Amino acid sequence: DAGVTQSPTHLIKTRGQQVTLRCSPKSGHDTVSWYQQALGQGPQFIFQYYEEEERQRGNFPDRFSGHQFPNYSSELNVNALLLGDSALYLCASSLGLAGGGEQYFGPGTRLTVT
Amino acid sequence: AQSVTQLDSQVPVFEEAPVELRCNYSSSVSVYLFWYVQYPNQGLQLLLKYLSGSTLVKGINGFEAEFNKSQTSFHLRKPSVHISDTAEYFCAVSERDSSASKIIFGSGTRLSIRP
């Protein structure tokens, strides 16, 4: 049973560019959450998708957008990249929206903005 | 709103010694509590969680944590650590009665084990 997978593993972009990160949830999961983890910090919640809709959003600007597909996979898009967007981006999947359920994390995508 | 404070950014300890990683949280509503571990260059793995019931929670790899509601704490303990426990540990909370399960993480504690 494959766990959460993310692609690519590493990415280098230039300021002002746009980037798309991808996530496939664990088999049987229907909810995907995205987190940003800056170096030396804990993960920060970006947003959560369920039934192809954004259900909750953290304190991130509109440059961060996402999408969930009918097969529950998800994309995170970041426009007009800033140096401060350099971070590890983690995807987590779970079953349903209710809190308390375990969220399974992928290995992350390391984004470097130069 | 919720917040999580991990009181120690780094904890060095000798192999086979006991360890405690401290965590305090703040919330105006009831929360679930979690401890996650992150090994170098990997994602997060759930160690244990407190949902309800007994305040002493046992997790994987010999770790346990105790929920103290009056002190709003959820400290993580292990009686004897191993070199393989070297990792970053994150305490986290999520809102109990919510239709969305976002997790709020602390800033992490780096556990380094000395032989």
Side-chain angles (χ1 to χ4, degrees):
Chain A
D1 174 26
V4 179
T5 60
Q6 293 185 242
S7 63
T9 54
H10 295 86
L11 204 53
I12 300 175
K13 290 287 189 179
T14 304
R15 271 182 303 175
Q17 286 187 318
Q18 178 264 344
V19 68
T20 298
L21 312 182
R22 296 176 176 81
C23 171
S24 292
K26 178 180 169 63
S27 177
H29 285 182
D30 56 9
T31 303
V32 173
S33 303
W34 287 92
Y35 294 81
Q36 179 195 67
Q37 185 179 17
L39 198 61
Q41 296 183 24
Q44 300 289 316
F45 176 77
I46 303 175
F47 43 53
Q48 183 178 68
Y49 277 84
Y50 174 73
E51 292 186 337
E52 302 181 48
E53 291 186 11
E54 183 182 294
R55 298 292 178 153
Q56 196 171 20
R57 189 179 182 92
N59 189 26
F60 280 81
D62 292 344
R63 297 187 298 109
F64 289 76
S65 63
H67 188 76
Q68 185 179 35
F69 299 94
N71 67 353
Y72 308 121
S73 67
S74 176
E75 288 183 349
L76 163 66
N77 301 291
V78 187
N79 294 321
L81 284 167
L82 303 174
L83 294 179
D85 295 331
S86 295
L88 180 68
Y89 288 85
L90 295 165
C91 168
S93 74
S94 55
L95 182 61
L97 285 175
E102 181 171 352
Q103 293 195 15
Y104 288 78
F105 284 80
T109 294
R110 173 76 61 189
L111 172 64
T112 302
V113 182
T114 62
Chain B
Q2 298 88 44
S3 67
V4 178
T5 301
Q6 292 185 242
L7 299 164
D8 305 296
S9 59
Q10 295 187 61
V11 173
V13 63
F14 287 104
E15 193 173 14
E16 298 184 6
V19 68
E20 178 180 81
L21 306 184
R22 297 180 293 167
C23 171
N24 286 92
Y25 69 93
S26 173
S27 177
S28 57
V29 299
S30 295
V31 295
Y32 299 116
L33 296 154
F34 309 86
W35 275 97
Y36 281 84
V37 60
Q38 186 175 35
Y39 298 103
N41 300 314
Q42 294 188 27
L44 300 170
Q45 181 183 6
L46 181 67
L47 273 179
L48 49 80
K49 61 182 177 182
Y50 174 76
L51 302 183
S52 64
S54 172
T55 57
L56 182 63
V57 181
K58 294 189 182 298
I60 61 172
N61 301 340
F63 283 94
E64 64 180 32
E66 185 155 20
F67 169 55
N68 188 317
K69 187 175 182 179
S70 63
Q71 297 186 9
T72 60
S73 67
F74 191 54
H75 301 334
L76 181 71
R77 302 186 183 98
K78 186 170 182 177
S80 176
V81 296
H82 189 266
I83 290 287
S84 60
D85 293 323
T86 298
E88 188 91 19
Y89 291 80
F90 293 96
C91 181
V93 302
S94 71
E95 195 173 310
R96 182 176 287 271
D97 297 316
S98 171
S99 60
S101 53
K102 75 172 185 179
I103 299 177
I104 305 299
F105 288 89
S107 56
T109 296
R110 183 171 300 276
L111 178 61
S112 58
I113 311 298
R114 301 170 175 173

